[in-house]
Amino acid sequence: MGGETQSRATSSFPKLSAGPVGQQIHSIYRERLGQFTSRGQYGSKNLLSAMDEGRASGEDHVKLSVYSVPDLARPTFKDATSQEFKPTKVGESFGPSWSTHWFRVQLTVPQDLRKKEHLELHWDANNEGLIWTQDGEPLQGLTGGGERVEWILPKGFRDGKEHVFYIEMACNGMFGNPQGGDIIQPPNPDRYFQLQTADIVAVNLEARALFVDFWIIGDAAREFPGDSWESHEALQITNAIMDAFIAGHGSQKSIVEGRQIARKYLGDDVDSSKVYETDKQPIVYGIGHCHIDTCWLWPWEETKRKIARSWANQCDLMDRYPEHRFTCSQAQQYKWLEQLYPTLYDRVKAKVKKGTFQPVGGSWVEHDTNMPSGESLVRQFLYGQRFFESHFGERCKTFWLPDTFGYSSQLPQLCRLAGMSSFFTQKLSWNNINKFPHTTFNWVSLDGSQVLCHMAPAETYTAEAHFGDVKRSVSQHKSMDQDSTSLLVFGKGDGGGGPTFQHLDKLRRCRAISDKVGLLPRVKMGESVDDFFARLEKKAEEGTKFVTWYGELYFELHRGTYTTQANNKWNNRKSEIMLHDIEYLATLATLKGAVNSEGTSYRYPKKDIDDMWENVLLCQFHDCLPGSSIEMCYDDSDELYAKVFKTGHKLLGDALSALGVSEKTTDKDNLVALNTLPWPRAEITKLPETSNRGSWPQYALVEGREGIVTVEALPQTSGKSTASIKEMKKGVFQLSNKHYKLQVEGGCITSLVDLSVNREIIAKGGKANQLVVFDDKPLYWQAWDVEVYHLESRKELPPGQTEIAEQGPHRVSVVTETKISEHSWVKTTISLDATIEYQPSYVNIDSEVEWRESMRFLKVEFPVDIVNTEASYETQYGIVRRPTHYNTSWDMAKFEVCCHKWADLSENGYGVSILNDSKYGFATCGNMMRLSLLRAPKAPDAHADMGKSPLSAAYCLLQPSSMVLNVRDNHHRLNSILVHCRLLTSGTGRHHIRYAILPHAGALDSRTIRTAFNFNNPMKVYSSSSRASSSILNAITLHGSPSLILDSIKRGEDDEDVSRGELTKRNGRSVILRVYESLGGKSRGTIGTSLPVKKVLRCNVLEDDGEELKIHRGEVEIELRPFEVATFRLQL
């Protein structure tokens, strides 16, 4: 102690400064990062210059020959490769738009590349393509334009020998062939594509990996908070990588060193799926996806090739990236793949079995949900789920609809009835007025049914798997109080493609950052959409209460789709009605012997009905039925609808014949009418024209219950009830019957008095049936959108000259022709029939419109003397009530809404319903009811609703003469489309529209529901034979509450005499009934039948048997909750 000498530590810190050192200016160093990977002025000196280790091109190594397919045909591999191929080379151009060119590629790898680590073919013609083996197996899709241009050459190609394969070139880009670079513009029909690259490339895999390292760490530097350590460290790492590359003059050693530097931020496992093998809890779940619009900016035939290109790519990526899971919906697309690419379908099926390729959705296509009928929505699920079960052994559990333009209020109920308890979408993130407030929530249907819904907080179904996509999966999550997890749905989409290897590499690095550095949400790969929702359902079981959203998910955009492409919407409505009638008649025809002991050779036409339904369901795709596709798509849908109507007419004829009814009506003593609706009806109808008419009356009263009803010819001069007309003064006409008295002037109804309550319906100073036009220029999406400001451009069409068209006594009518513009006009016929006891009466309006406008919107107005803050609209299996005011932005956003057969405005004790036969757009503002008729957008179809053929409309005689099939294509098509059609018009752009005004004393009730059905299903007159069986046609009835609707009668899908063998056959025969409650109250009823029914079972919409019901003397008591949809099986 004390006195000893202590050793003194000396500092290694230099005593003297070596010189000034400045503080790093972070903004400059961040901006510098772009120099390392950009193709700009430094491209020859940065990392891009080191991406290749060698290239070979030219005829010695990549010898090319081509077969250019004539007439825009798309031949099979066998047909194409059997043709003569001509020499070609890089630099030549190929076209025009939509044409196909097959290339024979004779490839020889040069000596200096054979021992390189990784060889690829790089092929880029800026268009899509598909690589095929010499034996005809599709291998991989190509996108072009710098994206997905590479194909990994098999190791066997390094033997110095020539190897042959084929490339099928499609002369369209991923988004078709738009003019001027704006994707929604109509296609350029004469676009050519230059083959720019056809090279063998030795890829520097270390450089490629460093590129992705640098990309993601650079994103961390840019997107982490600027004051965070994580952002600062990322900036230092990326600059150090650049410095090492510069110091090493871009050598391979400097690239390896750069990767070592990157590991300080990423760790050691980013080159394999091992990066995900940690015990740290993820909150973002990545799922690969490829949204392929079944039609949009390309025709259906191109979609079929997009499917093969996209899904082949995913099968390849699954082999290279074990964590990759890919989900895809739309049974129709799987069916096309099976039919057209059987070997690729087998690859997909093997991946499905392995669990890496995951079918999802449960529907036939990703359909529109606003306009299809309730039964159509059921069939989307029925046909979709049956396909997935029969082909892959499982039904889907999650309804998948990321891109549809709003979601109708009964979808949760129908999902549950189709075996799905969860729903994924994201489209409401596009709302342009209000931000939807939830991410994960319970969506509740009109009847109280619910599904667990998740909307990806990254707000896309085509995420690029960027750092920012992962970050936004939490930063934009709106439901973290209940659950913080989210789905990240990534991959090229809309035009197909799906995930790329870059996407998967980026996500590996994002996960690495989360584990090593933190702050970024942790992403997990390798699971399924069903796994994600199963965790949410488990949380709900354990007590988590997710927030709820009741009713429709209204989309605050794309409101014009309720109206665009009117003929397509007409075809949809009429095909749905036709299928209802066919199934009803065919079902009873097969069971005729069960009632009257007659034998029958008639067989239920299951295959034809399936074909019809599949075509109708296909046309309900969310860019087809809404009217947002290019013109070629509507040429395609016209052909399909023509096929549907032609088949349907034959099936109706066959079923009627089996029931003893004929369409020939030459004998007035044997006339009957057919009521295919489930309640008694009576209406005045025109009798069909005959060659030997003579004194044949013009009108008849058809009246009766379900099935065959009587036809009572009405004398020309008088009747039990009459309608009258008189001209009050020049140009002013009064039409009246026992119910109404209306005054018409200039085509408008200036007064409408309900005589039963002595009430004026039209608001003071108002004019009903006032045609108005609006300027219609949305912000961008022409065919899709109508913006709120269009209402400020309202212009009334001037009154036209009105004349008497019919003077009674059974029907009176006036006709008015109104000029829209120099090229367009409207001819409107307002009619009033004689009243029929116990039947509601309405004012019928028929409009013939020649429509040759540009960016204008035609509507018809009904100002009514009714006050209510809500209006009611028919939706599938129910009613939606929407505001008539603009109190809030949520209210104002619904300035244009969707309805089906009717819209209604009622106050206590009285109301008015507006009926229609094929329209879906409507608005009620205050007391102004407004039906949307026609639009005239110019993109993506420059001729939308204009027509383009002198023979623009064929009027089909399979239903009454109001049934139109628009044929927009070449004249020769008409010869092969319909055998019983007559050309009615020689003009272009011609439309025929029916709507009606139905006033009603009292509340909205079954009168409106049933009258709207009747209006859309007018009874048709037939001839009966001595063997006509009326008893079988009313063998099934529904009585009780008038709010109960028997909406569908069909045979069981798997009955032994009906089944096509997709699933296990059922013993015996059965009838399926679909019943729904239409007004919103608990209702009771009785199903009655004269069929020899053994038992009655309650089913779901997939026809799985449930509870057995008691049957007593052919009657079954049923009870439905408000707006419930119920399915019953009558087992014979």
Side-chain angles (χ1 to χ4, degrees):
M1 298 293 294
E4 295 97 344
T5 301
Q6 297 290 325
S7 61
R8 304 185 187 280
T10 59
S11 173
S12 61
F13 183 72
K15 181 178 181 182
L16 300 177
S17 171
V21 177
Q23 184 177 19
Q24 191 181 86
I25 310 301
H26 290 167
S27 60
I28 292 175
Y29 280 77
R30 271 195 300 270
E31 192 170 346
R32 178 199 185 203
L33 302 183
Q35 294 182 357
F36 194 50
T37 54
S38 68
R39 296 186 182 278
Q41 59 182 329
Y42 303 118
S44 62
K45 300 292 185 181
N46 64 18
L47 181 60
L48 295 184
S49 66
M51 300 294 281
D52 302 342
E53 296 179 333
R55 280 181 178 260
S57 59
E59 190 169 314
D60 291 341
H61 306 295
V62 187
K63 185 178 181 180
L64 303 175
S65 52
V66 65
Y67 164 58
S68 294
V69 183
D71 302 325
L72 305 186
R74 295 175 174 86
T76 64
F77 173 88
K78 182 178 180 181
D79 289 343
T81 56
S82 66
Q83 305 298 321
E84 179 184 355
F85 282 68
K86 297 180 180 179
T88 189
K89 61 183 184 298
V90 171
E92 291 195 358
S93 294
F94 302 89
S97 304
W98 312 116
S99 62
T100 299
H101 305 266
W102 282 80
F103 292 82
R104 180 183 292 126
V105 183
Q106 297 164 263
L107 186 144
T108 306
V109 177
Q111 177 86 30
D112 60 327
L113 297 184
R114 291 175 197 165
K115 294 187 178 180
K116 295 293 183 180
E117 180 184 8
H118 186 83
L119 297 182
E120 295 178 348
L121 172 74
H122 285 197
W123 177 280
D124 195 351
N126 203 35
N127 58 14
E128 293 193 84
L130 180 61
I131 299 173
W132 296 75
T133 69
Q134 192 173 13
D135 297 327
E137 182 178 347
L139 294 177
Q140 181 184 311
L142 301 165
T143 300
E147 286 192 357
R148 212 181 319 249
V149 298
E150 70 288 325
W151 173 53
I152 300 173
L153 294 181
K155 294 291 186 182
F157 278 30
R158 298 166 181 256
D159 57 5
K161 298 178 182 179
E162 181 181 271
H163 294 269
V164 177
F165 56 93
Y166 292 87
I167 296 178
E168 178 188 15
M169 173 192 284
C171 284
N172 54 266
M174 187 64 82
F175 293 93
N177 290 300
Q179 301 186 50
D182 180 349
I183 66 165
I184 71 165
Q185 293 307 306
N188 175 1
D190 199 32
R191 186 180 177 191
Y192 280 74
F193 298 83
Q194 184 182 59
L195 178 57
Q196 300 169 344
T197 306
D199 296 347
I200 301 171
V201 180
V203 177
N204 185 340
L205 292 181
E206 282 293 291
R208 181 179 279 179
L210 181 60
F211 182 94
V212 186
D213 291 344
F214 189 87
W215 184 350
I216 295 301
I217 301 173
D219 280 350
R222 288 181 287 266
E223 297 194 40
F224 275 149
D227 60 355
S228 68
W229 170 87
E230 293 86 354
S231 172
H232 178 272
E233 184 68 8
L235 186 61
Q236 303 312 306
I237 292 289
T238 47
N239 274 276
I241 291 170
M242 292 182 69
D243 291 341
F245 185 84
I246 292 169
H249 304 289
S251 64
Q252 188 67 12
K253 182 179 178 182
S254 71
I255 292 170
V256 172
E257 183 181 353
R259 293 220 67 204
Q260 291 171 345
I261 295 169
R263 288 190 179 95
K264 297 177 183 178
Y265 206 79
L266 300 175
D268 298 327
D269 296 326
V270 294
D271 293 330
S272 75
S273 60
K274 188 178 178 182
V275 70
Y276 296 105
E277 296 173 6
T278 69
D279 58 359
K280 298 179 180 179
Q281 185 62 37
I283 58 174
V284 178
Y285 293 85
I287 189 74
H289 180 53
C290 172
H291 182 71
I292 304 177
D293 283 316
T294 303
C295 67
W296 182 30
L297 304 176
W298 51 86
W300 281 329
E301 291 303 311
E302 196 56 45
T303 302
K304 297 171 184 178
R305 300 201 295 190
K306 284 176 175 285
I307 295 163
R309 293 190 285 257
S310 302
W311 294 4
N313 292 340
Q314 301 315 306
C315 289
D316 174 62
L317 284 175
M318 289 169 196
D319 294 335
R320 294 157 54 196
Y321 291 82
E323 73 270 27
H324 183 35
R325 299 294 181 271
F326 175 75
T327 195
C328 215
S329 65
Q330 306 194 75
Q332 174 69 86
Q333 295 189 3
Y334 288 86
K335 181 174 181 177
W336 280 337
L337 189 76
E338 181 184 25
Q339 292 172 333
L340 302 173
Y341 302 90
T343 60
L344 178 54
Y345 174 78
D346 289 341
R347 287 175 66 193
V348 166
K349 193 168 184 178
K351 301 294 185 186
V352 171
K353 186 174 182 180
K354 189 177 178 182
T356 52
F357 197 115
Q358 300 166 353
V360 73
S363 57
W364 190 249
V365 294
E366 288 188 13
H367 51 92
D368 177 74
T369 77
N370 290 312
M371 291 169 282
S373 68
E375 191 61 30
S376 286
L377 294 183
V378 166
R379 300 308 173 96
Q380 288 284 353
F381 292 140
L382 178 69
Y383 281 87
Q385 289 285 50
R386 287 177 63 82
F387 183 91
F388 290 123
E389 183 179 8
S390 63
H391 286 71
F392 304 119
E394 288 187 22
R395 295 171 177 173
C396 300
K397 300 175 184 176
T398 300
F399 185 32
W400 183 271
L401 215 57
D403 192 33
T404 293
F405 312 148
Y407 305 93
S408 58
S409 51
Q410 287 285 49
L411 281 175
Q413 179 180 188
L414 297 181
C415 284
R416 298 309 296 260
L417 291 171
M420 293 179 286
S421 58
S422 51
F423 174 51
F424 173 83
T425 185
Q426 65 80 49
K427 195 65 176 183
L428 267 61
S429 66
W430 284 39
N431 279 5
N432 71 344
I433 296 180
N434 298 287
K435 194 76 172 175
F436 191 76
H438 309 304
T439 293
T440 303
F441 58 98
N442 282 335
W443 181 24
V444 184
S445 193
L446 292 178
D447 77 314
S449 300
Q450 66 179 6
V451 292
L452 197 53
C453 181
H454 181 73
M455 297 187 182
E459 297 188 345
T460 182
Y461 53 90
T462 59
E464 291 285 350
H466 289 321
F467 180 100
D469 291 322
V470 177
K471 183 183 174 187
R472 285 186 291 275
S473 295
V474 168
S475 65
Q476 295 181 166
H477 200 301
K478 307 184 195 76
S479 302
M480 297 188 74
D481 292 346
Q482 291 82 39
D483 184 80
S484 60
T485 64
S486 65
L487 277 175
L488 176 60
V489 181
F490 67 93
K492 304 287 183 180
D494 291 331
T500 65
F501 73 86
Q502 293 97 330
H503 292 149
L504 297 164
D505 284 339
K506 284 188 286 181
L507 287 176
R508 285 179 174 180
R509 285 151 178 82
C510 287
R511 173 57 184 261
I513 290 176
S514 303
D515 286 344
K516 189 168 179 65
V517 176
L519 199 56
L520 184 66
R522 187 170 290 108
V523 66
K524 177 77 162 65
M525 294 285 289
E527 294 193 356
S528 69
V529 173
D530 290 341
D531 292 335
F532 174 81
F533 278 106
R535 279 189 294 272
L536 294 177
E537 291 186 11
K538 189 172 189 298
K539 287 194 71 170
E541 290 173 9
E542 293 171 350
T544 298
K545 293 184 178 180
F546 292 99
V547 297
T548 54
W549 184 273
Y550 282 80
E552 68 177 331
L553 294 173
Y554 178 82
F555 184 38
E556 296 179 3
L557 203 66
H558 296 0
R559 303 169 185 88
T561 59
Y562 312 143
T563 304
T564 308
Q565 299 287 1
N567 291 318
N568 200 53
K569 292 170 169 58
W570 191 100
N571 287 334
N572 175 72
R573 179 81 63 87
K574 301 311 173 186
S575 61
E576 290 174 334
I577 292 168
M578 173 181 273
L579 276 159
H580 167 276
D581 290 355
I582 289 170
E583 290 182 329
Y584 164 70
L585 295 170
T587 294
L588 297 177
T590 62
L591 304 176
K592 182 179 175 181
V595 173
N596 53 23
S597 302
E598 292 182 21
T600 178
S601 61
Y602 181 82
R603 293 290 178 266
Y604 194 76
K606 184 68 164 62
K607 180 182 183 305
D608 287 336
I609 289 174
D610 286 347
D611 289 345
M612 288 179 68
W613 266 118
E614 288 180 11
N615 286 333
V616 170
L617 299 178
L618 172 58
C619 291
Q620 290 172 350
F621 177 73
H622 69 253
D623 276 308
C624 184
L625 181 54
S628 50
S629 292
I630 61 172
E631 188 171 16
M632 296 171 76
C633 297
Y634 296 105
D635 293 339
D636 289 343
S637 66
D638 286 345
E639 286 189 357
L640 278 190
Y641 279 123
K643 182 179 178 182
V644 166
F645 290 130
K646 181 179 180 180
T647 301
H649 180 238
K650 180 182 182 300
L651 298 187
L652 283 171
D654 291 346
L656 289 169
S657 178
L659 294 166
V661 177
S662 170
E663 291 184 274
K664 296 180 180 179
T665 54
T666 56
D667 184 355
K668 64 182 180 182
D669 294 327
N670 292 318
L671 295 183
V672 296
L674 195 61
N675 175 20
T676 58
L677 295 178
W679 46 73
R681 296 171 63 185
E683 61 191 41
I684 292 173
T685 188
K686 271 192 173 183
L687 289 173
E689 299 281 350
T690 65
S691 58
N692 59 343
R693 180 161 198 154
S695 60
W696 193 315
Q698 186 178 11
Y699 286 99
L701 173 65
V702 293
E703 185 174 16
R705 53 182 294 195
E706 305 90 328
I708 293 176
V709 301
T710 61
V711 176
E712 178 188 348
L714 297 174
Q716 301 281 39
T717 55
S718 64
K720 297 177 182 177
S721 173
T722 61
S724 63
I725 186 170
K726 60 183 176 180
E727 189 169 11
M728 307 296 292
K729 59 182 179 179
K730 186 170 178 58
V732 181
F733 300 87
Q734 180 179 286
L735 290 70
S736 61
N737 62 16
K738 288 183 179 180
H739 290 169
Y740 306 122
K741 180 172 65 178
L742 62 149
Q743 186 166 294
V744 178
E745 182 176 1
C748 295
I749 300 171
T750 56
S751 174
L752 173 56
V753 177
D754 184 339
L755 299 174
S756 65
V757 293
N758 193 29
R759 175 166 179 154
E760 173 64 60
I761 310 303
I762 309 302
K764 186 176 181 179
K767 295 178 290 183
N769 200 48
Q770 173 66 62
L771 294 163
V772 289
V773 292
F774 300 83
D775 184 75
D776 190 14
K777 299 186 185 74
L779 296 174
Y780 177 66
W781 300 95
Q782 281 197 47
W784 295 258
D785 288 348
V786 57
E787 297 292 357
V788 66
Y789 54 74
H790 89 286
L791 295 170
E792 299 167 17
S793 65
R794 176 183 177 275
K795 179 183 178 182
E796 293 185 4
L797 293 184
Q801 182 176 348
T802 302
E803 298 176 346
I804 294 176
E806 289 188 272
Q807 302 194 54
H810 311 298
R811 178 173 295 161
V812 294
S813 60
V814 292
V815 62
T816 306
E817 186 164 331
T818 303
K819 187 175 182 180
I820 300 173
S821 68
E822 184 180 347
H823 303 290
S824 304
W825 49 262
V826 184
K827 184 182 290 184
T828 303
T829 303
I830 300 173
S831 303
L832 192 65
D833 284 1
T835 56
I836 303 172
E837 192 172 5
Y838 307 121
Q839 292 289 315
S841 184
Y842 53 78
V843 180
N844 186 80
I845 303 161
D846 290 89
S847 293
E848 181 181 3
V849 188
E850 177 72 14
W851 184 244
R852 300 294 298 276
E853 297 302 296
S854 177
M855 303 181 193
R856 301 182 86 191
F857 200 151
L858 178 67
K859 306 186 184 186
V860 60
E861 295 181 340
F862 308 91
V864 295
D865 189 18
I866 302 289
V867 178
N868 200 327
T869 57
E870 285 187 329
S872 300
Y873 304 86
E874 185 189 39
T875 188
Q876 300 97 339
Y877 299 131
I879 298 171
V880 175
R881 294 178 175 86
R882 302 182 177 110
T884 62
H885 54 77
Y886 295 161
N887 282 1
T888 70
S889 59
W890 292 89
D891 299 324
M892 189 183 72
K894 297 179 180 179
F895 62 84
E896 181 85 1
V897 298
C898 185
C899 75
H900 279 230
K901 296 185 291 295
W902 58 264
D904 182 86
L905 184 63
S906 293
E907 61 188 26
N908 182 40
Y910 205 87
V912 177
S913 300
I914 305 298
L915 317 180
N916 75 83
D917 79 333
S918 61
K919 297 299 168 186
Y920 296 92
F922 208 94
T924 307
C925 182
N927 70 333
M928 178 64 76
M929 305 179 76
R930 189 180 288 127
L931 176 65
S932 296
L933 301 180
L934 294 167
R935 297 185 69 221
K938 298 304 172 188
D941 179 359
H943 304 105
D945 289 320
M946 299 298 106
K948 66 176 183 178
S949 165
L951 302 179
S952 67
Y955 270 57
C956 201
L957 297 184
L958 16 148
Q959 291 270 336
S961 60
S962 59
M963 189 167 187
V964 184
L965 172 65
N966 182 48
V967 182
R968 299 151 45 110
D969 208 318
N970 302 323
H971 300 184
H972 72 270
R973 256 192 221 166
L974 293 175
N975 296 324
S976 61
I977 288 174
L978 293 167
V979 293
H980 291 283
C981 285
R982 57 187 173 91
L983 297 176
L984 193 70
T985 176
S986 60
T988 59
R990 195 68 57 85
H991 298 268
H992 294 258
I993 305 165
R994 287 182 68 228
Y995 49 93
I997 307 170
L998 174 66
H1000 55 86
L1004 169 66
D1005 59 21
S1006 62
R1007 290 170 295 172
T1008 291
I1009 307 291
R1010 293 186 175 192
T1011 305
F1013 268 100
N1014 296 348
F1015 186 77
N1016 278 265
N1017 295 259
M1019 288 189 281
K1020 187 183 176 186
V1021 175
Y1022 298 92
S1023 290
S1024 66
S1025 67
S1026 57
R1027 59 187 182 86
S1029 176
S1030 59
S1031 58
I1032 186 62
L1033 288 172
N1034 50 45
I1036 299 170
T1037 59
L1038 176 63
H1039 302 291
S1041 171
S1043 72
L1044 293 178
I1045 306 294
L1046 176 53
D1047 195 46
S1048 180
I1049 298 176
K1050 62 183 288 292
R1051 290 295 306 276
E1053 291 290 314
D1054 297 309
D1055 288 358
E1056 60 186 4
D1057 64 327
V1058 169
S1059 169
R1060 298 175 64 196
E1062 314 102 300
L1063 297 172
T1064 303
K1065 291 184 179 181
R1066 296 175 56 94
N1067 292 330
R1069 297 182 294 175
S1070 68
V1071 179
I1072 300 295
L1073 311 181
R1074 194 108 52 229
V1075 180
Y1076 73 96
E1077 198 287 318
S1078 62
L1079 289 171
K1082 182 181 287 187
S1083 298
R1084 295 184 178 92
T1086 302
I1087 297 171
T1089 181
S1090 58
L1091 297 172
V1093 174
K1094 295 179 180 177
K1095 59 182 176 179
V1096 177
L1097 300 153
R1098 190 154 183 163
C1099 307
N1100 60 19
V1101 299
L1102 304 183
E1103 301 180 14
D1104 300 325
D1105 290 344
E1107 174 192 8
E1108 184 173 351
L1109 305 179
K1110 292 181 180 179
I1111 182 169
H1112 179 66
R1113 294 182 178 179
E1115 292 188 340
V1116 179
E1117 302 295 324
I1118 62 172
E1119 179 179 284
L1120 273 65
R1121 62 182 178 270
F1123 297 125
E1124 183 181 4
V1125 180
T1127 304
F1128 303 93
R1129 182 192 303 277
L1130 309 184
Q1131 186 69 49
L1132 275 62

